[in-house]
Amino acid sequence: MTIRVIQIETGRMANFSYLVCAENAGRAVLVDPSWDMAKLEKHAAREKVAIEACLLTHGHYDHSMQLAPLLEKLGIKAHIDERDIFMLEDLPQRLLAPLNSATKLELAGLTIEVVPTPGHSPGSVCYIMDGNIFTGDTLFTGACGRVDLPGSDPRAMTESLRRIATLDPALVMWPGHAYGTVNSITLGAETKTNPYIKFALRGITPAE
């Protein structure tokens, strides 16, 4: 299967949202939709795809702002690890599809592998789709997510980074923010240069 990934920068915190669609399927999922829903809908219209689901890498507000009206309008749900649902105070439970373990989803013609990567938040996950990995705030180019926030866990982040380092190095990594010098990179290249992954492989936590 061939997929298209449309990377969309939104908001005042250099967030990335992603429109992901299977080639010629006419359907798509949104990863971490936030800040400017009209902008995201315009991209979907330009690509001529119908948005069938949302995937949240974690529950922080900058990755889900103004999401409820979009879900209501489209009649769809947001998939999120159940451990991060407590952060989504403005989202009615009926609009959520909780994830409770590593699993695979079949949405919008896509096969989606869910990889739990707690650390930045209790329920942080990465999503793997056809040679691509969406890392949210677990892993950026050249850095990792903060571990000094409520619910963060430096030791869990260390284990998550070690787990990511074992994944297919050919995966193309798409981070949750435009914090690095490049906006995407192969996981193999990032693993070789990212100091936090190097520390994790040596058993050193980000806090240390």
Side-chain angles (χ1 to χ4, degrees):
M1 177 178 63
T2 301
I3 69 172
R4 286 179 289 152
V5 178
I6 296 89
Q7 185 181 60
I8 307 162
E9 187 169 344
T10 62
R12 299 186 300 275
M13 299 175 69
N15 280 73
F16 281 136
S17 296
Y18 295 95
L19 185 70
V20 187
C21 41
E23 201 68 56
N24 301 319
R27 300 181 287 165
V29 298
L30 273 174
V31 180
D32 287 346
S34 191
W35 296 93
D36 189 344
M37 298 303 166
K39 182 177 183 178
L40 300 179
E41 286 191 274
K42 286 179 182 178
H43 275 275
R46 189 176 304 135
E47 297 294 327
K48 298 181 180 179
V49 294
I51 300 168
E52 293 194 352
C54 291
L55 303 173
L56 300 181
T57 59
H58 63 294
H60 288 152
Y61 78 96
D62 60 312
H63 293 259
S64 60
M65 287 178 63
Q66 304 175 17
L67 180 55
L70 180 69
L71 298 177
E72 294 274 19
K73 177 182 178 181
L74 299 179
I76 62 176
K77 293 188 177 185
H79 297 256
I80 184 171
D81 189 288
E82 62 184 5
R83 292 169 293 181
D84 270 16
I85 287 177
F86 73 96
M87 302 182 195
L88 303 178
E89 297 178 352
D90 296 333
L91 276 175
Q93 296 292 306
R94 58 187 168 76
L95 298 178
L96 299 176
L99 303 170
N100 56 25
S101 63
T103 186
K104 284 190 177 181
L105 303 172
E106 299 287 340
L107 298 168
L110 300 163
T111 298
I112 303 162
E113 182 181 353
V114 183
V115 182
T117 54
H120 179 65
S121 72
S124 285
V125 302
C126 296
Y127 296 104
I128 296 176
M129 295 179 241
D130 188 40
N132 299 271
I133 182 168
F134 300 85
T135 56
D137 284 9
T138 297
L139 183 64
F140 306 126
T141 56
C144 71
R146 292 176 59 176
V147 291
D148 60 343
L149 302 172
S152 295
D153 184 335
R155 294 189 181 279
M157 176 64 87
T158 297
E159 292 306 312
S160 292
L161 294 176
R162 293 176 71 172
R163 181 176 188 181
I164 288 173
T166 69
L167 298 175
D168 183 354
L171 288 170
V172 178
M173 174 189 141
W174 302 94
H177 290 270
Y179 288 165
T181 57
V182 295
N183 292 338
S184 69
I185 191 171
T186 66
L187 197 56
E190 185 61 26
T191 299
K192 291 178 181 178
T193 60
N194 189 297
Y196 295 93
I197 290 181
K198 291 181 178 180
F199 291 152
L201 292 174
R202 293 165 54 194
I204 302 172
T205 73
E208 296 175 342

